[in-house]
Amino acid sequence: MTASSGSASALTEDDTDALTIGRRIRQLRTARAMTLEDLASAVDRAPSQLSMIETGKREPKLTLLQAIARALGVGIDALLEGEPLDERSAVEIALERAMKGQTFRALGIEPFRIGKTVPTDALKALLALHGEIDRLKDERAATPEEARRANVELRHLMRSQNNYFADLEATAGEILAAVRHPGGPLTQRTASEIAAYLGFTLHYAPDLPQTTRSVADLANGRLYLSSRVPAKGDARTAVLQALSSRMLGHAEPRSYAEFLRQRVETNYLTGALLMPEAHVAPALKDAKQRRAISIEDLRDAYSVSYETAAHRFTNLATEHLDISVHFLKVHESGTITKAYENDDVNFPTDRLGAIEGQMCCRRWTSRVVFDEDDRFNPYYQYTDTGNGTYWCTARVEASSEGLHSVSVGVRFDDTRWFVGRDTTNRGVSNHSVEACCRRAPADLEERWRERSWPNVKTPRTLLATLPTGAFPGVDTTDVYEFLEAHAPR
C-alpha cells in the first residue's frame, strides 16, 4: 500500500509527468528493438492507446504502468525515476511543453506533432527562439522596483541639466518658425497648422480606444483624437502630445527607462510649443526685475493649466533666472506622484532614492493646501526644515484620479523675486525624517495600535509588473481594430 501511494504521488511531480514517462517508455522500448505493436500485444492494449501514452497525450494508470514495466523487463521506478532521457527525447519534451505555454499561444502558433523525420537541430532552433522571445519579454517587463530605478535615473538626468533640454527647445523653435507663430498663446488653429506641416490631418472620433489619448495612422497621415474632450481638457495639448513623438523621431521603446524618457521628452516639447522659450524667458526676466514672478500670471498669459505653467517655469527658472527650484504634484491621499528639485530640498525617498510614491509631509505646503477653503486664490507658505527654510506656492486641481495639488517652491533667499512672499503662513517640517509626521503621536499609537486594523488599498502596480508591449498600457488590438474601421477606403 505504501509503495503504491508513493508511486501514484510521483506521477504528479514535474520530472515524472506524462510527457517524461511516455518518452522513457519509448526510449526503453526502442532500446529493446520492440515495435509499438509488440509492446501493445504484451500488455493487451491497442497500439494507438500506447502511442497516446508515449507522446504524453494520455497519462497511464498505475496498473497499466506496472504492466508496461514488466513487459520491458524493468521495475516501475525505471519509468518514474529512471536514467536521464536521451537528447532527442529531452528536446522533444521541452518543445512540447513550450507549445502549451503562453508564448506560442500569444504568437498564434498551434501545437503540432513532432515527427521522427524532423531534425533534432530544427527542434533546438525552435527552442532557442522560444527562449529568446521569453528573455526579451522579461527584459521589457518592468517591476515596480525597476520602474522606480528608472524614475530615479531620469530625475538625476533632469537635475544635472537643471530640467532644461536645449535640443527640445531648439526643436520647438524650428516648428513654431515653420508655421510662423507670432508669439503669445498658441491657438487651436496653430496646433492644426503644425499637424499639417508634419503631414497629418486631424480627425475627431467618439470611439477612440480607451487606453489611448490619440492614435496616429502613419500610413494615411491621419491623427485621431477623442471627440469627447473632458471639461478641463485642452484640445491643443492632446494634438501636440500626439505630434511630439513624430517630431522627435521616437521609435518603439526598448526598455521601461526609454519609455519614461520618451514621455518626459513628449511633455517637455509640448510645453515648449505652448509656451515658447523665446517669449517666456524675457517675460520671466522682466517679472524677476519687478520682483513679481507668478505662476498664475504665466498660466493666464498662455492659456494653459496651472500644472503646465509650473512645469514650464521649472524648465526655464535655473537656465534663465539663476533660480533653483522644486516642483511637487501630490494626490489628495498624500502620495507624491511627480517631483523635481535642484534646490537641495531633500524630499523623502525610498531606499532606491525614488521620491514618487512616498508620502508627502502633512505640514508641507502641498498637503496643507488641501485644507484651505479658498480654491480661487493661490496658497503660499514658508516652511522651516532641518535643511533651511523654503517658500512654496500651491494650487489644487481636479484630475481623472481625483484632486491633486501642484506646487513650486524655492529657498528663502530667492523668495524676494515672487508674488506671495509676504504671506504669514508658516509651518515646520522635517519631511525626510519618519518621526516628523509619518509616525503617529505616541499617545495615539499606544491607544490604537492594538485596537485597529485598517484594510489597505493596495496599488495595482505594487504586486504586478508594469504593462509591457510596444506601447506599455495600450491595448494594441483595440488600436488596430480602430484604425481598420476608420482607414480611408
Side-chain angles (χ1 to χ4, degrees):
M1 187 70 176
T2 303
S4 296
S5 298
S7 298
S9 64
L11 287 173
T12 64
E13 297 295 326
D14 290 342
D15 60 347
T16 52
D17 61 12
L19 277 172
T20 307
I21 291 171
R23 290 305 193 280
R24 282 186 177 140
I25 292 172
R26 188 175 70 180
Q27 186 171 303
L28 289 167
R29 175 178 62 76
T30 56
R32 285 156 178 72
M34 294 177 69
T35 65
L36 197 60
E37 289 74 15
D38 293 337
L39 183 57
S41 177
V43 298
D44 195 24
R45 292 291 192 278
S48 59
Q49 185 178 354
L50 285 190
S51 177
M52 295 279 283
I53 291 172
E54 286 193 354
T55 56
K57 296 177 181 177
R58 178 176 296 176
E59 187 172 334
K61 293 183 178 179
L62 184 59
T63 53
L64 177 56
L65 203 58
Q66 290 170 330
I68 292 172
R70 285 194 298 271
L72 294 172
V74 297
I76 194 172
D77 286 346
L79 303 183
L80 299 178
E81 302 173 3
E83 294 296 319
L85 294 169
D86 58 53
E87 182 185 39
R88 172 73 183 198
S89 296
V91 170
E92 286 185 5
I93 287 176
L95 185 55
E96 289 196 31
R97 285 175 177 164
M99 286 191 288
K100 295 177 181 178
Q102 177 64 32
T103 299
F104 269 76
R105 289 200 301 270
L107 293 172
I109 301 175
E110 293 294 328
F112 55 85
R113 180 179 173 275
I114 302 174
K116 295 180 181 179
T117 57
V118 180
T120 301
D121 285 346
L123 301 183
K124 287 181 177 179
L126 284 173
L127 273 177
L129 287 172
H130 173 266
E132 180 62 12
I133 292 171
D134 278 353
R135 186 191 69 79
L136 290 172
K137 285 176 65 179
D138 288 342
E139 187 178 276
R140 289 282 299 277
T143 64
E145 179 170 325
E146 290 169 329
R148 292 200 302 274
R149 289 185 189 277
N151 246 325
V152 171
E153 291 175 5
L154 187 56
R155 200 175 78 251
H156 287 166
L157 171 67
M158 294 164 67
R159 184 190 296 160
S160 70
Q161 299 180 178
N162 292 321
N163 204 20
Y164 178 82
F165 292 76
D167 54 336
L168 300 182
E169 299 287 356
T171 298
E174 292 168 5
I175 294 294
L176 292 171
V179 298
R180 298 182 180 179
H181 178 55
L186 186 138
T187 63
Q188 177 69 27
R189 178 178 176 180
T190 305
S192 300
E193 290 173 349
I194 292 175
Y197 173 74
L198 295 171
F200 286 92
T201 55
L202 302 182
H203 302 265
Y204 293 88
D207 58 339
L208 195 73
Q210 289 188 347
T211 56
T212 65
R213 294 176 180 173
S214 63
V215 176
D217 178 349
L218 304 181
N220 298 295
R222 295 160 71 93
L223 179 61
Y224 295 99
L225 301 113
S226 176
S227 60
R228 299 187 176 98
V229 179
K232 289 185 175 294
D234 187 334
R236 300 170 304 163
T237 299
V239 172
L240 295 176
Q241 285 181 332
L243 295 172
S244 289
S245 289
R246 310 313 310 162
M247 299 180 209
L248 296 171
H250 284 163
E252 180 180 323
R254 294 166 293 182
S255 66
Y256 197 77
E258 187 172 348
F259 169 70
L260 287 180
R261 172 65 184 264
Q262 288 183 0
R263 276 185 53 181
V264 166
E265 291 178 345
T266 295
N267 290 333
Y268 190 109
L269 183 55
T270 297
L273 290 167
L274 288 169
M275 306 175 69
E277 178 183 29
H279 308 109
V280 178
L284 285 176
K285 289 178 180 177
D286 176 67
K288 181 183 179 184
Q289 188 174 9
R290 293 184 288 108
R291 301 192 175 209
I293 297 175
S294 167
I295 305 300
E296 280 74 20
D297 289 351
L298 205 56
R299 174 200 62 189
D300 296 341
Y302 291 90
S303 302
V304 295
S305 69
Y306 185 84
E307 183 176 350
T308 297
H311 267 301
R312 195 66 180 127
F313 178 74
T314 65
N315 296 153
L316 303 174
T318 307
E319 180 71 16
H320 291 284
L321 307 178
D322 194 29
I323 298 175
S324 298
V325 297
H326 64 261
F327 168 96
L328 270 187
K329 183 176 181 181
V330 176
H331 186 257
E332 58 186 324
S333 64
T335 306
I336 298 173
T337 58
K338 289 184 183 178
Y340 167 75
E341 87 295 345
N342 67 351
D343 58 356
D344 301 319
V345 71
N346 195 24
F347 285 129
T349 64
D350 64 13
R351 62 182 182 82
L352 299 175
I355 297 174
E356 292 79 5
Q358 297 299 296
M359 293 299 291
C360 181
C361 177
R362 292 170 176 271
R363 299 158 191 165
W364 194 253
T365 310
S366 306
R367 289 285 297 277
V368 176
V369 67
F370 285 109
D371 297 327
E372 293 297 309
D373 294 328
D374 182 0
R375 296 288 170 86
F376 183 78
N377 294 299
Y379 176 73
Y380 307 110
Q381 178 178 305
Y382 287 98
T383 309
D384 299 321
T385 77
N387 198 37
T389 298
Y390 292 85
W391 171 92
C392 301
T393 175
R395 272 195 177 274
V396 174
E397 293 189 321
S399 72
S400 58
E401 288 99 24
L403 297 178
H404 281 85
S405 71
V406 175
S407 62
V408 174
V410 295
R411 294 188 67 88
F412 180 83
D413 289 346
D414 287 316
T415 306
R416 63 186 183 275
W417 312 118
F418 291 82
V419 171
R421 60 185 175 273
D422 55 351
T423 181
T424 57
N425 297 323
R426 203 168 192 105
V428 178
S429 169
N430 293 310
H431 47 254
S432 61
V433 180
E434 183 176 352
C436 174
C437 68
R438 284 179 285 175
R439 288 284 302 273
D443 57 336
L444 283 179
E445 184 166 359
E446 182 179 356
R447 186 179 311 141
W448 291 108
R449 185 177 180 86
E450 303 299 330
R451 300 179 185 178
S452 62
W453 188 265
N455 187 13
V456 65
K457 185 178 180 181
T458 307
R460 176 181 60 82
T461 55
L462 182 63
L463 304 177
T465 57
L466 295 168
T468 58
F471 307 96
V474 170
D475 187 328
T476 51
T477 300
D478 277 355
V479 170
Y480 299 152
E481 289 177 348
F482 171 85
L483 289 172
E484 186 67 20
H486 287 269
R489 304 301 178 193

